[in-house]
Amino acid sequence: MNNSKIKSKIYHIIYGTDTLAGKTFDVALIGFILLSILVVCLESVPNYRTHFLFYFLVLEWILTICFTIEYFLRIYSHPRPLRYITSFYGLIDLLSILPTYLTFFIPGLHYLMTVRIVRLLRIFRILKLTHFIQNAQALKLALQASFHKITVFILAVLSLVLIVGTVIYVVEGPENGFTSIPLSIYWTIVTITTVGYGDITPQTPSGQIISSIVMLMGYAIIAVPTGIVTVELSKTAGAHNYVDSESFNCNQCGQKLNLTANFCSNCGKRVNDLS
Amino acid sequence: MNNSKIKSKIYHIIYGTDTLAGKTFDVALIGFILLSILVVCLESVPNYRTHFLFYFLVLEWILTICFTIEYFLRIYSHPRPLRYITSFYGLIDLLSILPTYLTFFIPGLHYLMTVRIVRLLRIFRILKLTHFIQNAQALKLALQASFHKITVFILAVLSLVLIVGTVIYVVEGPENGFTSIPLSIYWTIVTITTVGYGDITPQTPSGQIISSIVMLMGYAIIAVPTGIVTVELSKTAGAHNYVDSESFNCNQCGQKLNLTANFCSNCGKRVNDLS
Amino acid sequence: MNNSKIKSKIYHIIYGTDTLAGKTFDVALIGFILLSILVVCLESVPNYRTHFLFYFLVLEWILTICFTIEYFLRIYSHPRPLRYITSFYGLIDLLSILPTYLTFFIPGLHYLMTVRIVRLLRIFRILKLTHFIQNAQALKLALQASFHKITVFILAVLSLVLIVGTVIYVVEGPENGFTSIPLSIYWTIVTITTVGYGDITPQTPSGQIISSIVMLMGYAIIAVPTGIVTVELSKTAGAHNYVDSESFNCNQCGQKLNLTANFCSNCGKRVNDLS
Amino acid sequence: MNNSKIKSKIYHIIYGTDTLAGKTFDVALIGFILLSILVVCLESVPNYRTHFLFYFLVLEWILTICFTIEYFLRIYSHPRPLRYITSFYGLIDLLSILPTYLTFFIPGLHYLMTVRIVRLLRIFRILKLTHFIQNAQALKLALQASFHKITVFILAVLSLVLIVGTVIYVVEGPENGFTSIPLSIYWTIVTITTVGYGDITPQTPSGQIISSIVMLMGYAIIAVPTGIVTVELSKTAGAHNYVDSESFNCNQCGQKLNLTANFCSNCGKRVNDLS
């Protein structure tokens, strides 16, 4: 087997999903990524770091070396290596392995290790190639269609939050925990989104009245994004059914017809004649 | 009355709902199950356990003996006893009585008693046989239809939660209560679902800004599952309406026709001739 | 003016809304009721009770005497006094004045005074008579139509809550604040409805994982009642438009026509000829 | 250039958006307003006020002088100066600059400075003139249409909250933090809107049972405003679609016609003749 054939074979295994080897590679890669994310998470637990640090390090280095080999194979087998390196997923792949090498040489950069969490994004490349993501298409379309309206909505909420935050800062004041306008805005967001941590709460009766109004407003406001997304989703669902799967037009009178129709419901022309 | 007749009669009382005896048995069984769940709940309250432990034990043994008799009658009267024993509800029935006997012989297993809560599931068998559950059918259909989209949605939320959790862990750090990435992920879920316990809250200004963004995102994100379920429910409802109120049937071929149709779309018969 | 005429006039003022006197009476009564509720609320504030108790008492007695006069006028002017007394609003009227007299004779019954809050319900009688409540009709219809489905939904949530509550009780245990199953069920409801007080929070990692799953489930579950109500509201809106206000049928061809149509859109017949 | 020409030119720059100068002025003004709001917010942070007060003051005076010049230019160039001064945005413009001058002469009025937050409202004037706001139109229409129903809904929720608040006050009492009826009402709003601060929580079992019912009610209640807004938004969307895609116009009288129409519903002309 010559060099070009090997290259092509590696390319099909790494980038393709139509062969058994390609599918096995994808499933194994997902497993490796999930394992590596689990290591990042568990390593951060103080108790585990004390007892299992050695095992974490060994596992981390094995995974990093695997990902490094994969990275260079991707560069090697890609028809345009430079294009891959500068692409979004190329940079993600680099960011996935760099922190381990960097912290080996510069041991002080502890938090750098958390950058490895970007490995999660590598999963989406694999999902993109499969049929899995097609289920998410309707969702994506509806969210894109409602993006403008949701932006207007978020801007309106932010304005409201800014004004309510200032009012509550004046009413409650620093002595009740509302030490500054930014903190009061943070409290307003916590309240209007109905999260309600309770780390800062109104203490004066007038502050509690304002809070109550804000909460009831938040109750009515939450209806808006829901309404927007529902209408868009329902449009997508409706439009899809209408155009693609349920109707066609009679070529004699232009009447909209059901796919199951044998005759035009308006002029009585046989559907068999239509095409 | 010979053995086979008794068996058949018991079968109709226990498994059937069409006779008065069968209905009475079902209502009595629901009462016994609810009473037994109440005993499990109240027994766990320290104050009640101290004062009324004797009454709880007596009640528990009466109920367990009743359920045991019922269990053996079910085995006896069932046409295929082994099939019943290995069925889902057969195992639930066994799990409902086993803990009481086990804790009698091995007194140390205190928490085993809570397994008795599975008795609740036995109610669903009775409900399944009645007309009650038919009201839940539309709901079930809509949830099944939206299952794939909600799965995609939950996966997207989990990815978001993982990344936000890591970012907040780096920003806030162990000194503000965010002691590990798993705990930070837990905090992110608490925040994005708008639960907001307040046991862990961001203390630094940058942490509060990230929280605010997460909350507003959660506000927009909650719209998605609502939209999905609403559209599915509305589809189910819509299909139903279509049949009942906006259409009539062709009297030649029985085809469902639109109110605006002049000709049957199936057989080409003029609608004017229909009535 | 003889007795019967006076009776009839009083009846029209108290029960009617079509005369100026009747309307004035209703508006004044709403004012009195709201004032009396304000007194009940403010009287409960310790600080106000200490300083303004005398004024509260004077105001309370004036209002109670007014309501008593109104009550006896209602009995006097009603065509069937006994029927009024035993009616829902007759009992509410009695409950509105009784606590003040009772606490005068038996001073110990302090909490009895809060029963006066039922005066609020008297407002709904007045609203019932006006056009105001007609706006609420569509809402009421939709809620009634979705009542069965919401009941099924609440029952399913309660079962889920019972099982999750028991599991978290076993996992966390009394040492982390989950002292009994009923309290754990209370915590589960607090969590699944996204209220999240934070008075009881999971402390163990496994408890936090279970909580996270419960929260994400609550996130998806909240979509269900919203979907149900939206579909019912949309049905009501659609049905209303269709039948009542926007269409009628051509009496020549039965075609559904817009109210603004002059000619039948199907057969060309003039609408003027229709009726 | 004479006085009138200058006046007209200033008018087009300040009030207009169709020239390059006008657009540049608008963008610069939005920048100045956002900067000035940032100053108001950061100035309130104790730490920043200590260290950067001088810079804040300098920036504030520069911005105020700019806004003052703009204010007088608006009066000068407006065709009816008095009408501008007494208009909504004229008063907002005055309120945006007054606090700075007032606190210079009367230094004690510290909280007066927060009134400058109304500068935010000035942004909406600029947005009004652009195409940006057209995206918000559908949202506004839907909210206006659902205003009456949401009012009825809020009134019903308020009544519920008043009664539940009184009940929980009696059940829990001052010894568990429910010191007065208004505070108990505040707690009920915090609970029913699922905010759940946790500053006041039920301590008695009966109080926790009532809370659980309130939370589950809140869970079902939140569906109502969402349903209302969704239906209104979907109506708006539907009406819009109706005009664009499901109808055509009669070429004799211009009447909007359904795709299924054979004759114009306004003038009776055959649709076959239309094209």
Side-chain angles (χ1 to χ4, degrees):
Chain A
M1 227 161 32
N2 62 2
N3 195 303
S4 168
K5 257 191 176 165
I6 292 170
K7 213 169 167 176
S8 162
K9 195 156 191 188
I10 291 172
Y11 181 83
H12 274 95
I13 291 171
I14 292 184
Y15 291 95
T17 53
D18 42 3
T19 62
L20 182 69
K23 271 178 194 165
T24 314
F25 177 82
D26 284 349
V27 170
L29 191 57
I30 290 181
F32 272 54
I33 293 169
L34 289 179
L35 181 66
S36 109
I37 286 165
L38 200 72
V39 169
V40 174
C41 286
L42 293 183
E43 211 187 293
S44 74
V45 182
N47 207 19
Y48 293 167
R49 195 161 46 220
T50 320
H51 291 84
F52 309 113
L53 188 57
F54 176 72
Y55 303 99
F56 287 142
L57 277 178
V58 169
L59 209 58
E60 177 53 39
W61 274 107
I62 292 170
L63 287 166
T64 304
I65 287 162
C66 287
F67 290 150
T68 311
I69 293 167
E70 185 219 339
Y71 181 61
F72 284 111
L73 282 179
R74 276 184 192 273
I75 295 176
Y76 170 70
S77 69
H78 201 279
R80 295 174 179 178
L82 213 75
R83 204 171 172 184
Y84 160 69
I85 292 167
T86 55
S87 73
F88 174 71
Y89 281 116
L91 292 170
I92 292 292
D93 288 349
L94 191 62
L95 266 174
S96 299
I97 52 173
L98 223 57
T100 315
Y101 294 108
L102 278 177
T103 43
F104 184 74
F105 295 110
I106 318 154
L109 299 168
H110 173 253
Y111 279 131
L112 199 71
M113 289 305 267
T114 57
V115 174
R116 291 172 298 161
I117 209 83
V118 297
R119 286 170 183 172
L120 180 75
L121 297 176
R122 304 182 70 212
I123 284 183
F124 288 99
R125 170 169 45 193
I126 300 164
L127 294 179
K128 212 186 214 167
L129 298 168
T130 66
H131 295 300
F132 178 80
I133 213 73
Q134 293 183 348
N135 282 312
Q137 209 60 30
L139 224 64
K140 207 179 145 194
L141 274 173
L143 286 178
Q144 272 173 353
S146 52
F147 180 75
H148 277 290
K149 274 181 197 154
I150 288 211
T151 307
V152 170
F153 166 73
I154 293 273
L155 280 178
V157 168
L158 281 179
S159 306
L160 186 72
V161 153
L162 193 64
I163 288 167
V164 170
T166 309
V167 169
I168 201 87
Y169 167 69
V170 173
V171 167
E172 287 280 327
E175 62 275 18
N176 291 319
F178 294 79
T179 51
S180 68
I181 291 180
L183 193 75
S184 304
I185 290 170
Y186 162 72
W187 171 87
T188 312
I189 293 175
V190 168
T191 300
I192 218 165
T193 57
T194 76
V195 171
Y197 284 136
D199 50 349
I200 314 159
T201 51
Q203 303 296 324
T204 63
S206 38
Q208 289 169 345
I209 291 169
I210 293 168
S211 307
S212 300
I213 295 167
V214 170
M215 286 171 216
L216 288 172
M217 264 163 50
Y219 213 45
I221 284 172
I222 206 163
V224 177
T226 310
I228 295 167
V229 172
T230 304
V231 168
E232 290 304 331
L233 268 175
S234 125
K235 263 190 203 166
T236 322
H240 183 72
N241 285 345
Y242 177 72
V243 179
D244 291 347
S245 58
E246 290 187 2
S247 70
F248 62 99
N249 294 319
C250 172
N251 65 355
Q252 182 172 287
C253 65
Q255 170 75 358
K256 199 163 60 191
L257 294 176
N258 229 310
L259 269 190
T260 56
N262 295 329
F263 293 89
C264 172
S265 64
N266 190 48
C267 64
K269 190 167 163 59
R270 275 199 78 85
V271 165
N272 304 25
D273 309 330
L274 287 179
S275 55
Chain B
M1 224 157 41
N2 61 5
N3 195 304
S4 169
K5 258 191 176 167
I6 292 170
K7 213 169 168 175
S8 163
K9 194 156 192 188
I10 291 171
Y11 181 83
H12 274 94
I13 291 171
I14 293 184
Y15 290 95
T17 52
D18 42 2
T19 60
L20 182 67
K23 272 178 193 165
T24 313
F25 177 82
D26 283 350
V27 170
L29 191 57
I30 290 181
F32 271 55
I33 293 168
L34 290 179
L35 181 66
S36 110
I37 286 165
L38 201 72
V39 169
V40 175
C41 286
L42 293 183
E43 210 186 293
S44 75
V45 181
N47 207 19
Y48 293 168
R49 194 161 45 217
T50 320
H51 291 83
F52 309 114
L53 188 57
F54 176 73
Y55 303 100
F56 286 143
L57 277 178
V58 169
L59 210 57
E60 178 54 38
W61 275 108
I62 292 169
L63 287 165
T64 303
I65 287 162
C66 287
F67 289 151
T68 311
I69 293 166
E70 186 219 339
Y71 181 61
F72 283 112
L73 282 179
R74 276 185 192 273
I75 295 176
Y76 170 71
S77 69
H78 201 280
R80 294 175 181 179
L82 212 75
R83 204 173 172 182
Y84 161 69
I85 292 168
T86 55
S87 74
F88 175 71
Y89 281 117
L91 292 170
I92 292 292
D93 288 349
L94 190 62
L95 267 174
S96 298
I97 51 173
L98 222 57
T100 315
Y101 293 108
L102 278 177
T103 44
F104 183 72
F105 294 111
I106 318 154
L109 300 167
H110 174 253
Y111 278 130
L112 199 73
M113 289 305 267
T114 57
V115 174
R116 290 172 299 163
I117 210 83
V118 297
R119 285 171 184 172
L120 181 75
L121 298 176
R122 304 182 69 213
I123 284 183
F124 288 98
R125 170 170 44 195
I126 300 163
L127 293 179
K128 211 186 214 167
L129 298 168
T130 65
H131 295 301
F132 177 80
I133 213 74
Q134 292 184 347
N135 281 314
Q137 209 60 30
L139 225 63
K140 207 180 146 194
L141 274 173
L143 286 178
Q144 272 174 352
S146 51
F147 180 75
H148 277 291
K149 275 182 196 153
I150 288 211
T151 306
V152 170
F153 166 72
I154 293 272
L155 281 178
V157 168
L158 282 180
S159 307
L160 187 71
V161 153
L162 193 64
I163 288 167
V164 171
T166 309
V167 169
I168 202 85
Y169 167 70
V170 173
V171 167
E172 287 280 326
E175 62 274 19
N176 292 318
F178 294 78
T179 51
S180 69
I181 291 180
L183 194 75
S184 304
I185 290 170
Y186 162 73
W187 172 87
T188 313
I189 293 175
V190 167
T191 300
I192 217 165
T193 57
T194 78
V195 171
Y197 284 136
D199 50 350
I200 314 160
T201 51
Q203 303 296 324
T204 64
S206 38
Q208 289 169 346
I209 290 169
I210 293 168
S211 308
S212 300
I213 296 167
V214 170
M215 286 171 217
L216 288 172
M217 264 162 49
Y219 213 44
I221 284 173
I222 205 163
V224 177
T226 310
I228 295 167
V229 172
T230 305
V231 168
E232 290 304 333
L233 269 174
S234 127
K235 265 188 200 166
T236 324
H240 184 72
N241 282 350
Y242 180 72
V243 178
D244 289 347
S245 59
E246 288 185 9
S247 69
F248 60 99
N249 294 320
C250 172
N251 65 355
Q252 182 171 288
C253 66
Q255 169 75 358
K256 199 163 60 188
L257 294 175
N258 226 308
L259 272 189
T260 56
N262 293 331
F263 294 88
C264 172
S265 64
N266 189 49
C267 62
K269 191 167 163 61
R270 276 201 77 85
V271 166
N272 305 28
D273 307 331
L274 286 180
S275 55
Chain C
M1 224 158 40
N2 61 5
N3 195 305
S4 168
K5 257 192 176 165
I6 293 170
K7 213 168 168 176
S8 163
K9 195 156 192 187
I10 291 172
Y11 181 84
H12 274 93
I13 292 171
I14 293 184
Y15 291 95
T17 53
D18 43 2
T19 61
L20 183 67
K23 273 178 192 164
T24 315
F25 177 82
D26 283 350
V27 171
L29 191 57
I30 289 181
F32 271 54
I33 292 169
L34 290 179
L35 181 65
S36 110
I37 286 165
L38 201 72
V39 169
V40 174
C41 286
L42 294 183
E43 212 188 292
S44 74
V45 182
N47 206 20
Y48 292 168
R49 194 161 46 218
T50 321
H51 292 83
F52 310 113
L53 188 57
F54 177 72
Y55 303 100
F56 286 142
L57 277 177
V58 168
L59 208 59
E60 178 53 39
W61 275 107
I62 292 170
L63 286 165
T64 303
I65 287 161
C66 287
F67 289 151
T68 310
I69 292 166
E70 186 218 339
Y71 181 61
F72 284 111
L73 282 179
R74 275 184 192 272
I75 294 177
Y76 171 70
S77 69
H78 201 280
R80 295 174 180 178
L82 212 75
R83 204 173 172 182
Y84 161 69
I85 293 168
T86 56
S87 74
F88 175 71
Y89 281 116
L91 291 170
I92 292 291
D93 289 350
L94 190 63
L95 267 174
S96 298
I97 52 173
L98 221 59
T100 316
Y101 293 108
L102 277 177
T103 43
F104 183 71
F105 294 111
I106 317 154
L109 300 167
H110 174 252
Y111 279 130
L112 200 72
M113 289 305 267
T114 56
V115 174
R116 291 173 298 162
I117 210 83
V118 297
R119 286 171 185 172
L120 180 75
L121 297 176
R122 303 183 70 213
I123 285 183
F124 289 97
R125 169 167 48 194
I126 300 163
L127 293 179
K128 212 187 215 169
L129 298 169
T130 65
H131 295 301
F132 178 80
I133 213 73
Q134 292 184 346
N135 281 314
Q137 208 61 29
L139 225 62
K140 206 178 143 194
L141 274 173
L143 285 179
Q144 272 173 352
S146 52
F147 180 74
H148 276 292
K149 274 183 197 151
I150 289 211
T151 306
V152 170
F153 166 73
I154 293 272
L155 281 179
V157 169
L158 281 180
S159 305
L160 187 71
V161 153
L162 194 64
I163 287 167
V164 171
T166 309
V167 170
I168 201 85
Y169 167 69
V170 173
V171 168
E172 287 279 326
E175 62 275 18
N176 291 318
F178 293 78
T179 50
S180 68
I181 292 181
L183 194 75
S184 303
I185 291 170
Y186 163 72
W187 171 87
T188 313
I189 293 176
V190 167
T191 300
I192 217 166
T193 57
T194 78
V195 170
Y197 284 136
D199 50 350
I200 313 161
T201 52
Q203 303 297 323
T204 64
S206 38
Q208 289 169 346
I209 290 169
I210 293 168
S211 308
S212 300
I213 295 167
V214 171
M215 286 170 215
L216 288 172
M217 264 162 49
Y219 213 44
I221 284 173
I222 205 162
V224 178
T226 312
I228 294 168
V229 172
T230 305
V231 169
E232 290 305 331
L233 268 174
S234 127
K235 264 189 204 167
T236 323
H240 183 73
N241 285 347
Y242 177 72
V243 180
D244 289 348
S245 60
E246 288 188 4
S247 69
F248 61 99
N249 294 320
C250 172
N251 65 355
Q252 181 173 288
C253 66
Q255 169 75 358
K256 198 164 59 190
L257 294 176
N258 228 310
L259 270 190
T260 55
N262 294 330
F263 293 87
C264 172
S265 64
N266 189 50
C267 63
K269 189 166 164 63
R270 277 201 77 84
V271 166
N272 305 27
D273 308 330
L274 285 180
S275 54
Chain D
M1 224 161 35
N2 61 5
N3 195 304
S4 168
K5 257 193 176 165
I6 293 170
K7 213 169 167 176
S8 163
K9 194 155 192 191
I10 291 172
Y11 181 83
H12 273 94
I13 291 172
I14 292 185
Y15 290 95
T17 53
D18 43 2
T19 61
L20 182 68
K23 272 178 192 163
T24 314
F25 177 82
D26 284 349
V27 171
L29 191 57
I30 290 181
F32 271 54
I33 293 169
L34 289 179
L35 181 66
S36 111
I37 287 165
L38 201 71
V39 169
V40 173
C41 285
L42 293 183
E43 211 188 293
S44 74
V45 182
N47 206 19
Y48 293 168
R49 194 162 47 220
T50 321
H51 292 85
F52 310 113
L53 189 57
F54 176 73
Y55 303 100
F56 286 142
L57 276 178
V58 169
L59 208 59
E60 177 54 38
W61 275 107
I62 293 170
L63 287 165
T64 303
I65 288 162
C66 288
F67 289 150
T68 310
I69 293 167
E70 186 218 339
Y71 181 61
F72 284 110
L73 281 179
R74 276 184 191 273
I75 296 176
Y76 170 71
S77 69
H78 202 280
R80 294 174 180 178
L82 212 74
R83 203 172 171 183
Y84 161 69
I85 293 168
T86 56
S87 75
F88 174 71
Y89 281 115
L91 292 170
I92 292 292
D93 290 349
L94 190 61
L95 266 174
S96 300
I97 52 174
L98 223 58
T100 315
Y101 293 108
L102 277 178
T103 44
F104 184 73
F105 294 110
I106 317 154
L109 300 167
H110 174 252
Y111 279 130
L112 200 71
M113 289 306 267
T114 57
V115 173
R116 290 172 300 161
I117 209 83
V118 297
R119 285 170 184 172
L120 180 75
L121 297 176
R122 304 182 70 212
I123 284 183
F124 289 97
R125 169 167 49 193
I126 300 163
L127 293 179
K128 212 187 214 166
L129 299 168
T130 66
H131 295 300
F132 177 81
I133 213 73
Q134 292 182 347
N135 281 313
Q137 209 60 30
L139 226 61
K140 206 179 144 195
L141 274 173
L143 286 179
Q144 272 173 353
S146 52
F147 180 75
H148 276 291
K149 274 181 196 154
I150 288 212
T151 307
V152 169
F153 166 73
I154 293 272
L155 280 179
V157 169
L158 281 180
S159 306
L160 187 71
V161 152
L162 194 63
I163 287 168
V164 171
T166 309
V167 169
I168 202 85
Y169 168 69
V170 173
V171 168
E172 287 280 326
E175 62 275 19
N176 291 319
F178 294 78
T179 51
S180 68
I181 291 180
L183 194 75
S184 304
I185 290 169
Y186 162 73
W187 172 87
T188 313
I189 293 175
V190 167
T191 300
I192 218 166
T193 57
T194 77
V195 170
Y197 284 136
D199 50 349
I200 313 161
T201 51
Q203 303 297 324
T204 64
S206 38
Q208 288 169 346
I209 291 169
I210 293 168
S211 307
S212 300
I213 296 167
V214 170
M215 286 171 216
L216 288 173
M217 264 163 49
Y219 212 45
I221 284 172
I222 206 162
V224 178
T226 311
I228 295 168
V229 172
T230 305
V231 169
E232 290 304 332
L233 268 175
S234 126
K235 265 190 202 165
T236 323
H240 184 71
N241 283 349
Y242 180 73
V243 177
D244 289 349
S245 60
E246 289 185 7
S247 69
F248 60 98
N249 294 319
C250 172
N251 65 355
Q252 183 172 286
C253 67
Q255 169 75 358
K256 197 163 61 190
L257 294 176
N258 226 309
L259 271 190
T260 56
N262 294 330
F263 293 89
C264 171
S265 64
N266 190 47
C267 63
K269 190 167 163 61
R270 275 200 77 85
V271 166
N272 304 25
D273 308 331
L274 287 179
S275 56

